[in-house]
Amino acid sequence: MSGHSAAPGAGEGLGPLRPYLLVRGRSEPSRDLDRTALVIATVGAPQAVPQPHYLPILETCRLSACSLAQIAGTLGQPLQVVKIMVCDLIDDGYLAIPMPAGLRDPSEAGKDRRILEDVLNGLRNLP
């Protein structure tokens, strides 16, 4: 991982690593991601192999987009640790945040706005 050295004790047969070691003591991710943010493995991922503790995240996201909460639950890791690890993988080009359909196809962009306007009008009409 570019700029992310191996976690201390990784691969030394010492058993599972403590979550703070997986992220080298960092407590804040490099991006502001919500627990519902979706990420997916990139098609043209970098050739360099990431650190071993990142591989389960890549495997989880390889076939379909997964939320950060889903990844944390699957791996049994704290959400904050998963956020930091996912941000590392995004920064290094292994994961991507998929674009909403409305942003991919300009002809669909207005539909989301109309739906939101309908919801807002409905809320305004509540007693």
Side-chain angles (χ1 to χ4, degrees), residues 39-43 58 61-64 94-96:
V39 293
I40 191 164
T42 57
V43 175
L58 291 174
C61 300
R62 191 162 311 282
L63 298 178
S64 65
Y94 292 96
L95 293 178

Side-chain angles (χ1 to χ4, degrees), residues 51 70 109 116:
Q51 298 298 320
Q70 181 181 1
L116 292 174

Side-chain angles (χ1 to χ4, degrees), residues 56-72:
I57 295 174
L58 291 174
E59 286 302 315
T60 301
C61 300
R62 191 162 311 282
L63 298 178
S64 65
C66 298
S67 72
L68 271 62
Q70 181 181 1
I71 296 167

Side-chain angles (χ1 to χ4, degrees), residues 40-104:
I40 191 164
T42 57
V43 175
Q47 295 300 315
V49 178
Q51 298 298 320
H53 53 280
Y54 287 89
L55 295 177
I57 295 174
L58 291 174
E59 286 302 315
T60 301
C61 300
R62 191 162 311 282
L63 298 178
S64 65
C66 298
S67 72
L68 271 62
Q70 181 181 1
I71 296 167
T74 300
L75 301 181
Q77 292 291 344
L79 181 60
Q80 192 68 8
V81 169
V82 169
K83 282 183 179 183
I84 294 168
M85 293 174 73
V86 164
C87 286
D88 289 348
L89 290 168
I90 291 171
D91 293 344
D92 290 342
Y94 292 96
L95 293 178
I97 300 170
M99 296 294 282
L103 295 178
R104 279 183 270 158

